[in-house]
Amino acid sequence: MGVEPENTLRSFISAQRAGLDVIELDLHLSKDGALVVMHDADLDRTTDGKGPIADRTLAELRELDAGRGERIPVFEEVLDTVSAPLQAEIKDVAAARTLADLMLRRDLVGRVEVFSFHDEALAEITERVPGVRTGLIASRYGTDVVDRAVAVGAGTLALNIRRLTLETVELARKADLRVIGWVVNTQEHLRLVRALELDGATTDYPEIKRTGRFTA
């Protein structure tokens, strides 16, 4: 996020204190199959490590600095640390099955929404977790993104605000889909969210909560 080291417990606690409606986080699998919270597939940008997450065990990942002395968290740590609803983005398709098992074991359907760029990940978790709420994320897309969301049983579209058009929003509404814009960090994009009457937006800056409904 924009004010704390991203995807760390420190950032999630900050977002919760700021009153964000939902906290968004990103999931990958470690070499030994743990659900770890990080945006990138590689460690280089946000930690003092290098190389793919998938090449390190959880114990090895926990030795790294993820910013200001923070460790890379595992998903269950986040569940136990913050009480806010969570939006878990599957970055690694292989993580879908592991997340599904955890959601069933801890009865997380009411608390955790699952989002992904990967249609197959959403289809798998929908099949495995009855009643799960899912959202399809898209960066470069056309109006066919609505059909893709319907095909995998998603209830929400999370779309790059820079490419979002009224036509796409209207088609999504006809398909009974919620629409969220990302990433909304400027007043210009905030005005677009309001003009298109979106259901929400994702931001890197929790303080923007004062002017709309957002996740962080």
Side-chain angles (χ1 to χ4, degrees), residues 5 8 10 46 48 62-72:
T8 62
R10 177 175 179 148
T46 59
D48 59 352
R62 300 286 270 178
E63 294 177 354
L64 302 176
D65 186 341
R68 302 183 191 177
E70 290 288 302
R71 295 187 303 176
I72 298 171

Side-chain angles (χ1 to χ4, degrees), residues 12 16 27 39 44 48 76 80 83 114-115 120 123 127 142-143 145 148 176 197-198 209 215-216:
F12 302 139
Q16 179 167 277
L27 298 177
H39 182 276
D44 304 55
D48 59 352
E76 290 202 68
D80 296 336
S83 58
V114 181
F115 282 59
E120 59 270 38
E127 180 180 353
T143 55
V145 74
R148 287 175 53 202
D176 293 323
E197 298 183 341
L198 301 188
K209 165 70 176 179
T215 64

Side-chain angles (χ1 to χ4, degrees), residues 83-97:
S83 58
L86 300 175
Q87 185 184 104
E89 180 182 339
I90 300 173
K91 290 289 190 179
D92 176 358
V93 176
R97 182 171 297 185

